[in-house]
Amino acid sequence: MKKQIAFDGVLASEYLTEYELDQMGMKVQQAHDMLSAGTGPGGQHIGWVHWPETYNREEYARLKQMGETIRNRAEAFIVIGIGGSYLGARAAIEMLCPVFYNQWSKACRKAPEVYFAGHQMSALYTAHLLRLVEEKEIYINVISKSGTTLEPMLAFRLFREMLEKRYGKEEARKRIIVTTDLTHGPLRRLAEHEGYETFAIPDNIGGRYAVLTPVGLLPMVVAGIDVDAVLAGAADVVRLYGKPDVDNNPAYRYAALRCLFYDKGKTTELLASYEPGLRYVAEWWKQLFGESEGKGGKGVFPASLHFSTDLHSLGQYIQEGRRDFFMTTLWVEAPSEQVTVPAMGDDTDELNYLSGVSFHEVNRKACEGAMLAHTQGGVPNLRIIVPEQSPYYFGQLVYFFEKACGISGYLFGVNPFDQPGVEAYKRNMFRLLGKPKIT
């Protein structure tokens, strides 16, 4: 049987008492009951809980076929989306594809270059991306459940115009894939009018919980990621992360400890990783927890760090600054490739004591040293151990965080599946832009 992601809270135990853990365990049981029965706030949006086992097999087969077609024909694939409509896919590609993925030759990559648009409104970024792909064979995937989010819809208009001018409307239709609501919204209406290939975002799954739906899966297939393994990883932990008690459910224990630290004034969580490929896992995690918990004046503020790089910029603050945060380290146990320190005859750099030691082992000691130092400095430390950077464990990790986040939101007494505050800036922006009708 394959390993599972492990959760380690040993270095945080001195900050907590058994009584506190027992009391939080009872609250977790109540949150579990609400999430399982769909009786908590936002209960109509918990389709992700059983999705790894119940996803639409027919649509999934069609998605894989379309992804392979794009993979074989395109030189560049543009994913257009923002927030939950792109972060999960980007997290998967950054974690599971080779570092410097787009710089490799297609013969080595065996897939098109993948770029992202519509996740901001920078004129410079957009102009340079348009110029970069202007001579490449392009397919695009625009992702928006509502079809009204300004950033991706503006980008889609630009790339749609590019494709229609270059290929003509008929050929452009074949190169545009739309992932949106099953029946409603302007993007759905446009897709049906133009005859674009479409994939549905389930009604009962919100964007930040939609990584394992067509939102994330189509870009993964195009990039050559084994999505069968991704879904298998998630499915294999549905039962484990469905256990109601914190002692036997790592995801629930993580949620419980986060809330206990919050109650002790630790209102910020720093997610630290030691692999550059996990940078966008952290970005997705920040949206997942920030948008789910940050309501009613409550919620842990999610921030991320990239070690050992940030140990040389923020390490001093972590060690001796304000004591209002705790840390969670995301650690990959076994890298897919190794680099070993060579022996040098003269040892003028005084590094021969590390001869024959792998970079990963040096990284491990940096991680262990930092966790010990920060704990001694008054910062509780948690650790999530991922056996390897593989599709199977990406699926596990996504489900681990999703389940923990759902429980954590209920522990804070908020609806973890809505985002009413996001609409405030949109209404102001549309008003300032002179939009004729603002809802």
Side-chain angles (χ1 to χ4, degrees):
M1 184 174 177
K2 290 189 176 182
K3 291 183 180 179
Q4 294 167 341
I5 287 172
F7 175 70
D8 177 11
V10 172
L11 289 179
S13 59
E14 65 184 83
Y15 296 92
L16 305 167
T17 68
E18 285 301 319
Y19 176 77
E20 289 172 324
L21 290 170
D22 289 343
Q23 292 298 304
M24 186 58 71
M26 290 188 286
K27 294 178 182 178
V28 167
Q29 175 72 64
Q30 294 170 350
H32 165 82
D33 292 343
M34 288 194 296
L35 185 61
S36 299
T39 56
Q44 69 274 29
H45 296 298
I46 61 169
W48 56 272
V49 172
H50 294 290
W51 179 262
E53 299 173 324
T54 62
Y55 63 89
N56 185 318
R57 266 61 175 179
E58 183 178 341
E59 183 179 49
Y60 179 64
R62 183 168 61 88
L63 179 148
K64 288 176 67 177
Q65 185 176 32
M66 172 55 67
E68 288 298 325
T69 297
I70 298 169
R71 189 178 172 200
N72 292 328
R73 295 180 181 176
E75 293 177 304
F77 180 60
I78 315 297
V79 180
I80 301 174
I82 195 168
S85 294
Y86 97 102
L87 281 170
R90 189 159 190 176
I93 291 169
E94 295 273 341
M95 176 176 168
L96 303 175
C97 293
V99 180
F100 314 117
Y101 171 86
N102 283 339
Q103 283 70 49
W104 288 45
S105 69
K106 188 173 183 181
C108 293
R109 217 174 35 238
K110 297 182 174 60
E113 298 163 17
V114 179
Y115 298 101
F116 296 87
H119 54 293
Q120 34 67 20
M121 291 182 284
S122 164
L124 188 65
Y125 178 99
T126 306
H128 286 185
L129 180 56
L130 287 165
R131 195 176 309 154
L132 178 66
V133 301
E134 63 185 357
E135 295 182 359
K136 299 180 186 291
E137 292 294 328
I138 303 171
Y139 280 71
I140 65 175
N141 177 204
V142 56
I143 307 166
S144 175
K145 191 167 188 177
S146 68
T148 61
T149 307
L150 188 59
E151 293 93 335
M153 296 311 293
L154 282 177
F156 179 43
R157 175 176 280 215
L158 284 172
F159 280 95
R160 178 185 171 197
E161 180 193 44
M162 169 191 268
L163 290 178
E164 290 180 352
K165 283 184 175 179
R166 185 190 302 183
Y167 299 111
K169 286 183 71 72
E170 189 60 37
E171 178 62 22
R173 287 190 184 100
K174 302 174 185 177
R175 295 169 178 266
I176 296 172
I177 299 90
V178 172
T179 307
T180 189
D181 189 270
L182 180 62
T183 57
H184 297 95
L187 189 53
R188 167 59 63 179
R189 291 193 295 272
L190 175 62
E192 291 179 351
H193 180 266
E194 295 291 338
Y196 300 143
E197 185 80 29
T198 62
F199 296 97
I201 304 174
D203 287 339
N204 59 354
I205 301 179
R208 58 190 178 276
Y209 292 87
V211 183
L212 304 180
T213 75
V215 170
L217 293 178
L218 180 61
M220 290 186 218
V221 174
V222 174
I225 294 169
D226 182 354
V227 291
D228 289 345
V230 170
L231 288 170
D236 281 355
V237 291
V238 167
R239 183 171 297 180
L240 172 63
Y241 299 159
K243 293 180 178 180
D245 57 303
V246 295
D247 290 333
N248 295 302
N249 186 328
Y252 286 10
R253 191 166 185 84
Y254 171 58
L257 293 181
R258 294 178 77 254
C259 292
L260 282 170
F261 291 142
Y262 180 84
D263 289 342
K264 292 175 178 289
K266 307 290 187 181
T267 56
T268 295
E269 180 177 10
L270 304 178
L271 184 72
S273 64
Y274 285 74
E275 289 293 340
L278 299 180
R279 181 178 297 269
Y280 270 87
V281 170
E283 293 300 310
W284 168 74
W285 170 87
K286 285 193 288 190
Q287 188 207 2
L288 178 68
F289 280 89
E291 203 166 80
S292 296
E293 289 181 349
K295 295 151 195 173
K298 305 174 184 177
V300 175
F301 182 81
S304 60
L305 298 166
H306 306 287
F307 288 165
S308 61
T309 305
D310 287 341
L311 286 172
H312 296 265
S313 57
L314 293 172
Q316 172 62 38
Y317 188 95
I318 296 167
Q319 193 67 32
E320 296 184 354
R322 291 170 59 94
R323 304 293 80 183
D324 56 359
F325 54 84
F326 63 97
M327 292 191 66
T328 299
T329 296
L330 191 56
W331 176 255
V332 177
E333 188 64 23
S336 58
E337 297 188 46
Q338 292 279 11
V339 176
T340 302
V341 179
M344 301 291 284
D346 54 17
D347 195 29
T348 52
D349 58 6
E350 300 180 355
L351 291 174
N352 269 355
Y353 75 100
L354 292 175
S355 297
V357 178
S358 71
F359 270 50
H360 185 67
E361 186 60 22
V362 176
N363 214 16
R364 183 195 304 278
K365 297 309 179 187
C367 175
E368 292 172 356
M371 289 182 67
L372 284 171
H374 296 154
T375 301
Q376 292 163 357
V379 179
N381 270 250
L382 308 174
R383 185 168 58 156
I384 298 166
I385 303 167
V386 182
E388 61 186 16
Q389 285 180 226
S390 70
Y392 180 82
Y393 291 112
F394 177 79
Q396 273 198 17
L397 187 62
V398 165
Y399 197 77
F400 174 92
F401 280 134
E402 287 180 344
K403 203 65 188 292
C405 188
I407 291 296
S408 185
Y410 283 160
L411 291 176
F412 279 114
V414 302
N415 179 350
F417 309 116
D418 67 355
Q419 52 280 337
V422 175
E423 301 305 317
Y425 98 87
K426 292 182 181 180
R427 288 192 296 271
N428 287 335
M429 176 180 65
F430 287 138
R431 177 177 56 80
L432 292 167
L433 288 169
K435 184 177 181 180
K437 183 180 179 181
I438 304 174
T439 57

